[in-house]
């Protein structure tokens, strides 16, 4: 037997790192997820109904009737990056995904920061999802009972936080119990939100054809032209929102060690999820725009009074009082489903980082019965609850600006992963046209597009008017939060390097480290 480059820690009986020929697995449950289940996890993590209700109006407010074109423009870099993920997963089907791949391509320090970007972005998203799910829980309770005072309970900060923590605990418990429990919940919640979304689209088209609303518009192919956006600033702002709407599809890849056909199934599932998402966004955006228009008057999508929660404003007028409640249920289901599946990538990234000695050994523990990274999952739940509670108690503006800073993290680790693909496969790019484009050209283009958005967002964040308008010593608080979180990662990395020098010397994880043995 050849000597291993990977030396996962086996501190106690909970660490299920078992040998597989010349490599060691991490102890995750094999064969727990198939193609459909993996695609459902990707769709669920993105939370399409939640994304639409929170960004449909904001995007229309930035780019007007070109909103469908911007949805397509945001889809392009994500599709190009998805090709990078697919190719890397074929070669290295490791649950550490971006962390593992960038370490192999660029070395331990860049790889560690890429992993940090994924982890901190996920914690921000989890806290936001929990807050949205909490708000819609009380809003739905008020709608069902017809009692506004029940809906108003969400305005009580202590009630809101208590409900939020309860939802986080429930989502953590389901994720802790393994992929089988996760799948059962997700099939129901994803099916529900997509079915309700289809009903909304059909009824919006019906209202548009009947001319029910004065602000409605006739369809035009010009809506699909991104070059018709009035200014580059408006286009960039809309594109940033659009990119956020696709974030999370890579959760399919985080389950690669638990998926049947680990080398191919996760990549295929991610592409299926992307197609479903872009189709849903385009259909909903076009239908809503035809029904009520994109202006700022009345029910127009760009109305600043309703743009932050479009479905709350359109549910009754488009679907009627009875069916309209279903749209509230769908938003709650969307946020709840995403809250639960978003634990998957962060827990498995932390598991991989610990396995390769980039984090403390305790996070490499896998539950002996559920075959999940139990310690890492609980840590993610505790971190999410603590982060949301502190941010809510300190300032609503700080919480809002933290969410605005999310786009910086997303572009950071996605672009690094895309560039890692081209560099990792640099010796294979001349073998065929397919290798050149799917391992080189497409990933580099996707990485460049996201890097450009990263830099543009960084410049915009400096302006105090970005986000809530809060400032720190004259600098926009969104900039301070975004750059501060990345700087915090650097500090933690330096501390970790002193405690785990072997990983940072490049002794643990290298390009030649064998991948997990999998079946096609």
């Amino acid at each position: 037997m050849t000597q291993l480059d990977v030396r996962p820690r086996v501190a106690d009986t909970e660490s299920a790192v078992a040998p597989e020929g010349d490599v060691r697995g991490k102890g995750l449950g094999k064969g727990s997820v198939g193609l459909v289940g993996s695609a459902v996890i990707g769709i669920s993590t993105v939370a399409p109904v939640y994304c639409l209700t929170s960004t449909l109006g904001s995007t229309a407010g930035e780019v007007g009737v070109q909103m469908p074109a911007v949805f397509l423009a945001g889809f392009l870099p994500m599709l190009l990056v998805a090709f990078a993920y697919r190719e890397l997963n074929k070669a290295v089907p490791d649950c550490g995904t971006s962390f593992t791949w960038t370490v192999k391509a660029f070395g331990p320090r860049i790889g560690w920061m890429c992993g940090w970007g994924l982890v901190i972005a996920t914690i921000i998203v989890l806290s936001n999802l929990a807050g949205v799910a909490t708000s819609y829980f009380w809003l739905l309770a008020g709608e069902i009972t017809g009692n506004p005072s029940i809906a108003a309970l969400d305005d009580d900060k202590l009630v809101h936080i208590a409900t939020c923590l309860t939802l986080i605990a429930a989502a953590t418990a389901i994720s802790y119990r393994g992929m089988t429990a996760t799948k059962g919940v997700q099939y129901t919640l994803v099916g529900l939100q997509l079915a309700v979304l289809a009903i909304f689209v059909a009824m919006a088209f019906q209202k548009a054809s009947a001319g029910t609303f004065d602000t409605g518009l006739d369809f035009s192919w010009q809506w699909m032209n991104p070059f018709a956006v009035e200014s580059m600033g408006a286009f960039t702002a809309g594109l940033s929102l659009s990119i956020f709407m696709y974030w999370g599809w890579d959760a399919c890849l985080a389950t690669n060690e638990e998926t049947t056909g680990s080398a191919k199934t996760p990549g295929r599932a991610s592409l299926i999820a992307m197609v479903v998402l872009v189709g849903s966004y385009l259909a909903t955006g076009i239908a809503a725009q035809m029904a009520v228009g994109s202006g700022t008057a009345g029910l127009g999508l760009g109305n600043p009074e309703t743009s932050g929660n479009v479905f709350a404003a359109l549910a009754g007028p488009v679907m009627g009082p009875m069916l309209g409640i279903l749209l509230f249920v769908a938003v709650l289901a969307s946020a709840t489903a995403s809250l639960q599946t978003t634990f998957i990538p962060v827990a498995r990234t932390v598991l991989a980082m610990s396995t390769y000695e980039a984090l403390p050994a305790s996070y490499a523990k896998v539950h002996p019965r559920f075959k999940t990274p139990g310690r890492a999952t609980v840590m993610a739940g505790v971190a999410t609850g603590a982060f949301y509670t502190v941010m809510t108690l300190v300032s609503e503006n700080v919480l809002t600006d933290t969410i605005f800073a999310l786009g910086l993290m997303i572009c950071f680790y996605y672009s690094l992963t895309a560039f890692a693909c081209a560099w990792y496969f640099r010796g294979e790019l001349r073998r065929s046209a397919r290798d050149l484009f799917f391992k080189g050209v497409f990933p580099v283009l996707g990485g460049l597009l996201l890097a450009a958005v990263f830099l543009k967002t960084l410049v915009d964040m400096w302006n105090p008017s970005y986000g809530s308008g809060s400032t720190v010593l004259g600098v926009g608080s969104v900039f301070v939060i975004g750059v501060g979180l990345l700087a915090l990662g650097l500090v933690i990395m330096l501390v970790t390097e002193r405690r785990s020098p072997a990983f940072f010397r490049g002794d643990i994880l290298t390009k030649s480290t064998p991948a997990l043995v999998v079946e096609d």
Side-chain angles (χ1 to χ4, degrees):
M1 182 178 295
T2 58
Q3 186 173 349
L4 301 178
D5 287 321
V6 182
R7 297 188 297 279
R9 290 156 164 156
V10 284
D12 52 45
T13 56
E14 281 192 57
S15 183
V17 183
E20 281 193 41
D22 286 343
V23 289
R24 294 175 186 262
K26 300 180 186 66
L28 298 170
K30 296 180 183 178
S32 303
V33 188
L35 178 62
V36 175
S38 185
V40 165
I41 287 172
I43 295 169
S44 173
T45 304
V46 174
V49 177
Y50 156 69
C51 285
L52 283 166
T53 193
S54 60
T55 59
L56 194 65
S58 301
T59 307
E62 294 288 349
V63 300
V65 294
Q66 263 60 55
M67 174 253 296
V70 171
F71 285 170
L72 280 176
F75 172 70
L76 178 60
M78 288 301 187
L79 178 63
L80 296 174
V81 172
F83 289 134
Y85 271 75
R86 185 186 65 178
E87 297 303 319
L88 285 166
N89 182 73
K90 285 182 181 179
V92 189
D94 187 286
C95 72
T97 60
S98 293
F99 159 74
T100 303
W101 300 332
T102 48
V103 170
K104 281 176 168 284
F106 298 135
R109 290 173 183 81
I110 294 178
W112 198 98
M113 284 302 298
C114 186
W116 168 258
L118 187 154
V119 169
I120 197 64
T122 308
I123 295 299
I124 294 172
V125 169
L126 282 168
S127 64
N128 186 40
L129 287 167
V132 170
T134 297
S135 296
Y136 264 88
F137 171 81
W138 290 113
L139 183 61
L140 179 62
E143 288 287 327
I144 292 175
T145 60
N147 188 344
S149 62
I150 293 180
L153 286 174
D154 186 57
D155 297 327
D156 186 312
K157 190 166 287 189
L158 293 181
V159 172
H160 179 91
I161 291 175
T163 307
C164 189
L165 294 179
T166 301
L167 290 175
I168 291 171
T172 305
I174 295 172
S175 296
Y176 186 89
R177 292 182 61 84
M179 296 306 300
T180 301
T182 297
K183 284 191 304 180
V185 173
Q186 291 306 317
Y187 283 137
T188 301
L189 295 179
V190 171
L192 171 65
Q193 60 179 298
L194 291 180
V196 174
L197 197 60
I199 295 172
F200 172 82
V201 169
M203 297 189 74
F205 277 131
Q206 187 273 325
K207 291 290 192 298
S209 63
T212 304
F213 306 110
D214 294 337
T215 54
L217 300 172
D218 293 328
F219 174 77
S220 170
W221 286 107
Q222 186 69 6
W223 295 357
M224 313 303 287
N225 179 15
F227 300 104
V229 178
E230 292 184 358
S231 69
M232 180 56 69
F235 178 77
T236 303
L239 186 63
S240 180
L241 289 167
S242 178
I243 287 173
F244 167 73
M245 292 177 69
Y246 292 104
W247 181 82
W249 56 267
D250 52 312
C252 304
L253 284 299
T255 62
N256 49 20
E257 295 187 28
E258 300 154 90
T259 304
T260 56
S262 298
K264 296 180 180 179
T265 299
R268 292 170 178 168
S270 66
L271 292 177
I272 291 172
M274 292 285 282
V275 170
V276 171
L277 290 169
V278 71
S280 300
Y281 292 162
L282 284 176
T284 306
I286 291 171
Q289 194 158 272
M290 289 178 64
V292 301
S294 60
T296 59
L299 291 175
L301 297 177
N303 187 333
E305 295 182 2
T306 59
S307 62
N309 192 349
V310 167
F311 287 155
L314 297 184
V318 173
M319 301 180 68
M322 296 301 294
L323 289 177
I325 291 179
L326 286 178
L327 201 51
F328 287 99
V329 173
V331 176
L332 176 59
S334 183
T336 303
S338 183
L339 175 63
Q340 193 248 309
T341 52
T342 304
F343 278 104
I344 292 172
V346 65
R348 281 147 185 80
T349 297
V350 170
L351 169 68
M353 293 178 76
S354 181
T355 298
Y356 296 122
E357 301 186 25
L359 284 177
S362 60
Y363 296 120
K365 293 178 181 179
V366 173
H367 195 282
R369 176 185 172 190
F370 300 130
K371 305 298 182 183
T372 60
R375 181 69 64 88
T377 301
V378 172
M379 180 278 297
V382 171
T384 299
F387 180 85
Y388 189 81
T389 300
V390 171
M391 292 298 101
T392 302
L393 292 175
V394 169
S395 170
E396 291 292 339
N397 286 341
V398 173
L399 182 62
T400 300
D401 287 340
T402 302
I403 296 166
F404 271 95
L406 174 64
L408 203 67
M409 309 300 166
I410 294 172
C411 292
F412 176 73
Y413 85 85
Y414 271 167
S415 59
L416 276 179
T417 306
F419 293 138
C421 177
W423 190 250
Y424 182 85
F425 292 113
R426 64 190 183 279
E428 304 177 17
L429 300 182
R430 296 183 179 181
R431 294 194 317 187
S432 67
R434 184 199 179 281
D435 285 340
L436 175 62
F437 282 96
F438 285 99
K439 296 179 180 179
V441 175
F442 292 158
V444 168
L445 284 176
L448 288 173
L449 289 171
L450 290 177
V453 175
F454 175 89
L455 293 174
K456 183 64 168 63
T457 303
L458 202 61
V459 172
D460 292 343
M461 283 178 173
W462 183 269
N463 192 325
S465 65
Y466 195 93
S468 70
S470 301
T471 64
V472 178
L473 300 177
V475 179
S477 60
V478 180
F479 179 92
V480 174
I481 292 170
V483 175
L485 288 173
L486 289 176
L488 176 63
L490 281 172
V491 173
I492 295 175
M493 183 183 72
L494 293 174
V495 173
T496 305
E497 185 170 357
R498 294 177 64 87
R499 300 184 60 179
S500 304
F503 169 78
F504 291 95
R505 286 198 307 264
D507 296 341
I508 306 298
L509 180 59
T510 67
K511 184 174 182 178
S512 61
T513 300
L516 181 72
V517 174
V518 295
E519 298 178 359
D520 290 335

